[in-house]
Amino acid sequence: MRSSTLFQRINLHQRPAPEVALRRPGSRLRQVSGPCVPPSDSVVEFGAYVGGKRVEADGIPEAVGLVRDHNAASELGGAYVWVGLYEPEASEVGWLAEVFGLHPLAVEDAIKAHQRPKVERYGDSLFVVLKTLAYLDDDPRAGSQIIASGEIMIFVGADFVVTVRHGGHSPLADVRKRLEDKPKLLSRGPSGVLHAIADHVVDKYLSVADLMQAELEEVEATVFADVSSRDISRIYQLKREMIEMKRAVTPLQTPFNALPTRRMIPSEMREYFRDVVDHLSRVCEQVESSNELCNSILQAALARSNALANEDMRKISAWVAIISVPTMIAGIYGMNFDRLPGLHDMWGYPVVIGVMLVVCSLLYRGFRRNSWL
């Protein structure tokens, strides 16, 4: 659905004071700076899901009303709304905060982005921040950048999931399609959507970590090759990217370890989240080992560069010593003295040249024997 059409439909179907009709009973109206308007251009996709199937709705208000009417009429409940946003404006997130009763601190974090990965609870909802990673080494537009990072903020409630994505990588369209193709996955509710997104992001971590490991092994091979590159800028760039990966992955370990024990996660979903935690632990171990390997490679490259510089200096010093012998002899005989050995002798010139050649040959042999040349 195009954003302009969506915006028109929202306006046409919006009832007076929709925020009052759509808020949960007893919830307080959340205010943000500026007038709150329904999201339009930032909406990637939205849908209402009832009984593991997607139900069409003309707009977000209609989808929310449909879901809450179904949950109120059914003892089982299980219906929910999933709204996906991409780099929304503050007023758009504020409108959703009024609809779903989102906490203003979480809303502020979702608007500003550049947040630390975390899992926080606000009342009866969860706010999850995930860092996304993408490997760009094969992208000619990336320049020297190897890894691109973004963020996914996820609001999870009893009958809603709101995802706010920052950065052009790791879209969630494939995740939504995979869930919609399998009604059993959709029927798990908002916690099932949270698991699918977290599993998708962690699997991407594994892919990027494997590619970075292969890159490090290739650089390591070039460092210890016979003809080694002395440019360590690539290694330093890899080191910076490994630090970026560590910042994205490591902070998630503690909150994700505690996530399966949270009351909001149904018992049947806890095993699935433990599986994500297991994959995340593997990623953290791999990132840590790759970071240590990168440190070793950087130190080895610096030592190798110093060794090559010393080797060059020894070669230069050896040749200077060899050349200094004929230079010294020629300088002595070039002085304006009349009494020098062999100066007036017919064999004086060949003897001096021979002495130069013999001494230079002996020096060359000695330097070669000591591996200076």
Side-chain angles (χ1 to χ4, degrees):
M1 183 181 297
R2 295 183 179 178
S3 58
S4 59
T5 305
L6 173 62
F7 184 73
Q8 293 172 358
R9 289 185 176 181
I10 291 175
N11 287 335
L12 289 173
H13 292 82
Q14 189 171 352
R15 296 182 295 273
E19 66 279 1
V20 177
L22 295 174
R23 291 198 313 274
R24 292 184 177 183
S27 65
R28 298 173 61 188
L29 185 64
R30 311 295 184 183
Q31 296 291 342
V32 296
S33 59
C36 298
V37 297
S40 54
D41 293 338
S42 64
V43 173
V44 177
E45 195 170 359
F46 74 93
Y49 300 93
V50 179
K53 296 181 179 179
R54 180 167 180 168
V55 180
E56 294 298 329
D58 291 334
I60 297 176
E62 288 73 17
V64 175
L66 186 152
V67 163
R68 292 183 175 170
D69 289 343
H70 176 274
N71 289 339
S74 173
E75 295 181 358
L76 298 177
Y80 61 94
V81 178
W82 181 3
V83 181
L85 306 176
Y86 176 69
E87 297 184 354
E89 298 292 336
S91 57
E92 297 175 330
V93 182
W95 185 85
L96 289 175
E98 294 179 355
V99 171
F100 297 111
L102 306 179
H103 196 278
L105 293 178
V107 171
E108 182 180 358
D109 289 345
I111 295 171
K112 291 184 177 180
H114 303 293
Q115 301 297 318
R116 179 182 173 88
K118 58 184 177 180
V119 177
E120 293 182 345
R121 178 181 174 183
Y122 294 100
D124 56 353
S125 65
L126 284 179
F127 177 62
V128 182
V129 178
L130 302 175
K131 287 281 189 181
T132 59
L133 298 176
Y135 188 77
L136 300 179
D137 197 44
D138 296 332
D139 190 348
R141 297 170 297 177
S144 61
Q145 189 178 9
I146 302 174
I147 294 178
S149 62
E151 292 176 58
I152 298 178
M153 284 83 166
I154 311 168
F155 298 90
V156 182
D159 58 2
F160 67 89
V161 178
V162 178
T163 56
V164 180
R165 189 164 59 90
H166 294 269
H169 304 281
S170 297
L172 299 177
D174 293 340
V175 178
R176 187 186 290 265
K177 184 177 185 303
R178 179 166 60 87
L179 289 175
E180 291 178 352
D181 291 340
K182 298 180 179 180
K184 185 178 180 180
L185 298 179
L186 274 178
S187 62
R188 295 172 182 170
S191 61
V193 177
L194 175 61
H195 167 263
I197 296 173
D199 187 59
H200 169 74
V201 172
V202 173
D203 285 347
K204 193 67 175 179
Y205 289 164
L206 283 170
S207 175
V208 174
D210 290 340
L211 291 171
M212 287 296 293
Q213 182 73 24
E215 182 76 19
L216 286 172
E217 291 174 356
E218 181 181 345
V219 171
E220 183 183 21
T222 61
V223 168
F224 294 101
D226 292 336
V227 181
S228 178
S229 173
R230 304 185 192 182
D231 184 13
I232 63 173
S233 59
R234 180 67 173 178
I235 305 174
Y236 184 73
Q237 181 68 23
L238 286 172
K239 173 64 178 175
R240 294 189 61 182
E241 301 296 347
M242 292 306 305
I243 293 175
E244 183 70 20
M245 284 189 64
K246 193 173 181 179
R247 289 174 179 171
V249 174
T250 304
L252 277 178
Q253 261 195 307
T254 301
F256 263 51
N257 284 333
L259 188 59
T261 63
R262 288 185 178 269
R263 181 177 56 84
M264 291 191 60
I265 303 300
S267 57
E268 64 272 13
M269 289 299 303
R270 290 174 182 174
E271 292 296 329
Y272 293 94
F273 280 101
R274 289 193 184 99
D275 181 66
V276 175
V277 171
D278 181 64
H279 291 174
L280 182 61
S281 299
R282 176 189 162 190
V283 174
C284 291
E285 292 174 0
Q286 187 169 351
V287 169
E288 187 65 31
S289 62
S290 297
N291 189 44
E292 293 177 0
L293 177 61
C294 192
N295 289 334
S296 301
I297 293 174
L298 182 59
Q299 294 174 2
L302 292 173
R304 177 72 170 166
S305 179
N306 292 333
L308 292 174
N310 291 334
E311 185 177 348
D312 289 343
M313 289 302 300
R314 285 186 299 179
K315 289 181 180 180
I316 294 172
S317 301
W319 282 114
V320 168
I322 293 173
I323 295 173
S324 65
V325 172
T327 302
M328 180 186 65
I329 296 175
I332 293 174
Y333 275 85
M335 293 186 294
N336 295 323
F337 292 107
D338 189 51
R339 296 181 180 180
L340 289 173
L343 186 61
H344 299 289
D345 194 339
M346 181 180 64
W347 299 101
Y349 178 75
V351 169
V352 171
I353 296 298
V355 170
M356 291 182 183
L357 292 176
V358 169
V359 174
C360 289
S361 298
L362 292 174
L363 288 173
Y364 180 80
R365 184 178 179 183
F367 287 132
R368 286 280 293 182
R369 183 178 300 173
N370 294 325
S371 300
W372 280 47
L373 290 175

